[in-house]
Amino acid sequence: MAVKRTYSKWFLTPVKRASKRYGMITPGDRIAVGASGGKDSSALLYILWLLKNYSFLHFDFRAVFLDMGWQVDTEPLAAFCREHDIPFHVEPAPIRAIVFEHRREEHPCALCSHLRRGALNEAARRLGCNKVALGHHLDDLLETFLMNWFYNGRFATFLPVTDLSKSGLKVIRPLIYLSEATVSSLARVENLPVLSNPCPAAGKTKRHEVKAVVNLLATRYPYLREHFLTALEAVGWLE
């Protein structure tokens, strides 16, 4: 297989640039990719597969799917991993029961996110990985900033690389230079596996509301996302 020429400019070069600037992928890394079956994580799997096989980067990675108790059909994702020779691991994690049955959270996202991070990190350590890769992209970076501003009264967002010193892991986000539109287009063009999201809170969250605000602003200011990233990097906020 040859990598399509357009792919370098479209998404591979920005991912390489982000990785180089923030030291995301280094020789000998063993990376656990949080593979939820959403378009973002499937795009991340595909991009890492391209980088592993068609770039100077030397690393290993595997897909980790958290079975949270929703009875999701993972076969499309598993088949994609088999086709691309990507190790696929299913990690049992009773998160649905904890959040929606035992705790019965009115706003479940924060607790669910916390439990998912813990389960994924624990699986990564057990599988001998030193890094965890998440599919957060540029829109997520901006939306997280706005959510913290609107709802918590503080300027904050996630970092490209987070050092979890107590666990010996680093969390990396190789897609932060890519817009959600780019990730969605890639998933569509390459027919990447996208599993349905069974969570009853899907599409009803504060993030969903903020996403609508970002999309509205972007109709007036088309380079809103890119300029936000430039501003953060200019003051060293993401270092």
Side-chain angles (χ1 to χ4, degrees):
M1 169 187 166
V3 179
K4 298 177 183 177
R5 291 183 179 180
T6 56
Y7 280 14
S8 290
K9 183 177 180 180
W10 186 20
F11 60 85
L12 283 178
T13 295
V15 171
K16 291 177 185 178
R17 193 167 69 246
S19 177
K20 181 178 180 180
R21 172 159 186 164
Y22 296 105
M24 293 187 190
I25 302 175
T26 55
D29 279 343
R30 291 175 55 85
I31 303 171
V33 181
S36 66
K39 68 181 188 313
D40 304 337
S41 62
S42 290
L44 176 57
L45 281 175
Y46 180 66
I47 289 172
L48 289 179
W49 178 78
L50 289 175
L51 292 178
K52 175 178 169 60
N53 290 280
Y54 301 99
S55 81
F56 61 88
L57 296 171
H58 301 287
F59 64 96
D60 289 316
F61 73 102
R62 62 183 59 236
V64 179
F65 176 85
L66 295 182
D67 181 0
M68 301 193 295
W70 293 111
Q71 304 300 316
V72 175
D73 179 14
T74 61
E75 179 52 28
L77 182 58
F80 171 83
C81 289
R82 286 195 300 270
E83 179 183 349
H84 293 80
D85 197 26
I86 301 171
F88 180 67
H89 174 77
V90 176
E91 178 72 11
I95 295 173
R96 179 196 61 80
I98 294 172
V99 174
F100 291 98
E101 295 178 11
H102 301 308
R103 294 283 295 268
R104 298 183 181 181
E105 292 284 326
E106 182 179 357
H107 303 290
C109 295
L111 176 60
C112 182
S113 178
H114 175 74
L115 294 174
R116 283 188 287 114
R117 285 197 303 270
L120 180 58
N121 293 344
E122 176 59 31
R125 285 194 297 268
R126 197 171 61 253
L127 293 168
C129 298
N130 66 313
K131 290 180 179 176
V132 173
L134 303 178
H136 295 140
H137 44 63
L138 179 53
D139 287 63
D140 291 321
L141 188 75
L142 174 54
E143 290 162 12
T144 300
F145 178 87
L146 292 178
M147 288 176 66
N148 278 310
W149 180 21
F150 293 168
Y151 302 116
N152 300 319
R154 60 192 183 97
F155 290 156
T157 189
F158 56 76
L159 299 175
V161 176
T162 304
D163 192 349
L164 306 179
S165 55
K166 291 184 179 180
S167 65
L169 293 171
K170 287 187 177 181
V171 177
I172 63 174
R173 296 174 169 90
L175 306 187
I176 61 158
Y177 282 1
L178 302 182
S179 68
E180 184 173 19
T182 296
V183 173
S184 297
S185 296
L186 173 60
R188 184 175 61 256
V189 168
E190 286 295 334
N191 194 29
L192 300 180
V194 178
L195 309 183
S196 60
N197 185 352
C199 178
K204 305 173 185 177
T205 64
K206 295 299 183 184
R207 181 172 292 276
H208 187 75
E209 294 177 8
V210 171
K211 183 183 295 291
V213 172
V214 171
N215 290 335
L216 178 63
L217 288 172
T219 61
R220 180 70 180 270
Y221 309 103
Y223 296 103
L224 171 74
R225 300 168 178 86
E226 293 78 7
H227 288 173
F228 172 72
L229 176 63
T230 299
L232 289 188
E233 292 192 325
V235 296
W237 207 334
L238 299 182
E239 302 294 339

